Structures are given as structure tokens and as C-alpha cells.
Amino acid sequence: MNTPEIGIIGSHEDWTNQQITIALEKRGVKPHFFNASRFSVYLKEKCAVWSKEINLSELDLLLVRHIPSGSLEQIIYRMDVLHQLEDSGTCIINKPKTIEKMVDKYYTSFLLANAGLPTPETILTENTEEALKAFELLGGDVILKPLFGSRGRGMVRLSNEDMALRAFQALELGGYLYYLQRFIPHYNRDYRLLIIGNCLIGAMERHSSNWKCNLAQGGKAYPCSPSAEMIDLSLQASNVLEADYCGVDLLQGEDGTLYVVEVNSMPSWVGLQAVCDKDIAAAFVEYILEQL
């Protein structure tokens, strides 16, 4: 077999991408890096996608590690390009349809709940009055989340009506949605499980001094031996979203109930690798090369 041509959409300065690159180069593959905001499409008899004078349509495999923020038009165009490449025969990880399922927190929550997986009670509305009703219905203690976002950014806990009203009025001015989840007391800890190819690769427990356990928000990572229930829930979530790989965030309530909180289609594993003996990048590269 000839050496495969592999592209990575993302920054070569990102730590996880650097580890993937090292693992690929050990297998004799030097990846090309691309920024999704630099795509150019040529539509003629046979469609082609260009970036940095390289025809992405001729790549064997494309890893999507980052989609830059932008206008609705820009985001739709970038996802359209990924669909075009996939339809033209390029192997894309994760698949565009999978990314679309996970980048939208509401769509993720809906798909998980619809499949019968335990998720925090959620209400989404565009109306301030309905949002206040939802605040009461959810027990007067909720997490207000942005529909799009990662690393815990933009999440706010609202635990009194005046605070909730001020937050909702501020969002109303910007034309935002109200995505509300019932707050689940969880001893300021949660779990991240990394699934690759329908297999558990590693897990960590995250502790924090407050309810946000994300490492980017000050949480600390610790080794974890997940229970059979945690593994099963994570594998189910990955299957529901049709992911090649994903980071599944689980939260265990003080009553012992497990919830699937979020699923990340482009997970970093810098924190996980620090508490995991397995070479995660090597396992990931082993998987993606098997898809060729």
C-alpha cells in the first residue's frame, strides 16, 4: 500500500495535534495542516476543494480537529465543503453528520434523550417569559448554556429569580436562545471517557472547587477506573451519534444517578494523557489508518 495522504483541519501548534503528528510520522506519514476558513471550491465537471495549493479532494483521509467560528453563512459553507469531500470519496473523521450532531448542544441532548440515555432535564426556548417558567419548572436552580461552545465557557448557574431574569434579558438583547438544564448536585466532580472506534481508550475523573469541572476552568484531572455502567453509557452515546471517536462527559448525581452531560466530537486529550498510561495518539492513529 502507498503512503496515505492525510490532512488535519486545525492548528499544528495544538498539543493534541502535535501528538497525532508524531504518531503518524512514526508510521511514515507526514500530515498536511489546513484552516477551514481557507477552503476554495472549484465546481466544474469534477468538484475540487483547494487550500494552500493542495487539492483536498485527492487526500485519502481528513481529520477534522477544529472548525473556526464565523458567521452562519461561513459555518454552513465549511460544513458543506466537508460533505462534498465525503461524497467525493474522502474518508473524514469525524464524519460531517457526526460533527453537526455534536457541535449543537441541544441536538446532542435531544438525540441522547430520544435514545433513552439519561441526560439532565432540559428546556430550550426563545421567549423570556417561557424561560422564567422553565427556570421555576426546573427547580429554580439551573445551568444556562450557550448552544455552541466548549471547555465550560459561557455556562452560568442561576439559582434565584432576579439573577435569572437579568441573564435572560441580556440574552434577549442579543437574540440568543435560552438553553436551560436542571442543576445536578455532583460533589464538584465529573468524568471524561475517551472512545475511539467503539472502544474505551482512557478515562479521567475531574475535581474542582466549584460546579465547573472542565480543566480549562480550573478543574484537576485524576486517574479513573470507570464502572461498567459508565463505559456502557459512553459507548451508547458514541453509537447514537455515530462517532469514530469522541469525548463523553458523565456526571454522577449525589444520589448515584449517572447522566451523559456532553459529547465532544473534537476532544483534546492533554489532561487525560497526563493520568493515562496508554499512548492515546498511537491508539488513535492505529484506528484511523485501519479506516483506509
Side-chain angles (χ1 to χ4, degrees):
M1 179 181 175
N2 295 329
T3 302
E5 292 289 336
I6 293 179
I8 299 177
I9 298 178
S11 171
H12 61 81
E13 296 179 356
D14 174 80
W15 183 89
T16 298
N17 291 345
Q18 291 176 356
Q19 299 305 301
I20 294 171
T21 298
I22 291 170
L24 282 170
E25 289 179 342
K26 288 180 178 178
R27 302 290 294 269
V29 179
K30 186 173 180 61
H32 307 279
F33 277 87
F34 303 98
N35 186 325
S37 66
R38 301 297 300 275
F39 289 155
S40 296
V41 178
Y42 181 41
L43 301 179
K44 200 179 178 184
E45 294 172 358
K46 186 174 182 180
C47 302
V49 179
W50 294 85
S51 182
K52 295 173 23 177
E53 300 182 352
I54 295 176
N55 185 352
L56 276 72
S57 307
E58 295 178 354
L59 294 175
D60 298 298
L61 186 143
L62 188 61
L63 297 177
V64 185
R65 294 288 307 155
H66 178 66
I67 299 293
S69 58
S71 67
L72 177 61
E73 188 175 66
Q74 289 171 321
I75 297 299
I76 289 176
Y77 163 66
R78 292 165 191 167
M79 294 308 301
D80 285 346
V81 169
L82 293 180
H83 280 291
Q84 174 188 329
L85 287 167
E86 184 179 41
D87 291 345
S88 299
T90 304
C91 177
I92 299 183
I93 296 177
N94 275 307
K95 299 176 184 64
K97 65 178 181 180
T98 295
I99 295 171
E100 289 168 345
K101 290 175 182 177
M102 285 193 257
V103 74
D104 178 338
K105 286 186 173 64
Y106 167 67
Y107 195 20
T108 303
S109 294
F110 160 71
L111 291 170
L112 295 175
N114 200 48
L117 275 66
T119 60
E121 191 177 349
T122 301
I123 296 177
L124 186 72
T125 181
E126 295 186 52
N127 182 276
T128 300
E129 183 178 343
E130 291 300 320
L132 284 170
K133 291 179 182 177
F135 172 77
E136 294 298 330
L137 184 62
L138 294 174
D141 193 357
V142 305
I143 304 301
L144 175 64
K145 293 183 176 183
L147 207 59
F148 306 106
S150 62
R151 302 185 177 183
R153 291 189 292 260
M155 297 196 305
V156 179
R157 182 178 175 185
L158 305 174
S159 54
N160 70 66
E161 189 171 354
D162 287 341
M163 184 192 305
L165 178 59
R166 288 196 297 271
F168 297 157
Q169 288 173 336
L171 289 179
E172 185 177 31
L173 292 174
Y176 293 99
L177 297 169
Y178 310 110
Y179 176 61
L180 304 169
Q181 288 189 329
R182 182 187 294 274
F183 176 72
I184 308 294
H186 55 285
Y187 299 111
N188 295 338
R189 69 186 181 201
D190 69 3
Y191 305 87
R192 161 63 66 89
L193 280 70
L194 180 66
I195 305 298
I196 299 177
N198 207 35
C199 294
L200 174 69
I201 298 301
M204 64 179 169
E205 187 171 332
R206 300 182 294 198
H207 294 194
S208 178
S209 59
N210 59 62
W211 61 272
K212 283 189 182 182
C213 300
N214 309 73
L215 301 186
Q217 301 295 324
K220 303 295 183 183
Y222 297 90
C224 171
S225 297
S227 66
E229 184 182 3
M230 290 178 180
I231 297 171
D232 182 59
L233 278 178
S234 299
L235 292 174
Q236 287 188 62
S238 178
N239 286 330
V240 166
L241 300 170
E242 300 180 88
D244 284 288
Y245 78 113
C246 60
V248 183
D249 291 344
L250 302 177
L251 183 150
Q252 188 165 37
E254 293 180 353
D255 64 354
T257 303
L258 278 170
Y259 300 88
V260 182
V261 182
E262 290 186 12
V263 186
N264 192 321
S265 67
M266 306 172 205
S268 168
W269 51 75
V270 58
L272 177 57
Q273 186 64 83
V275 297
C276 178
D277 293 332
K278 182 174 291 187
D279 185 335
I280 298 173
F284 180 64
V285 165
E286 180 73 25
Y287 171 76
I288 65 173
L289 292 179
E290 289 174 352
Q291 309 313 303
L292 296 174

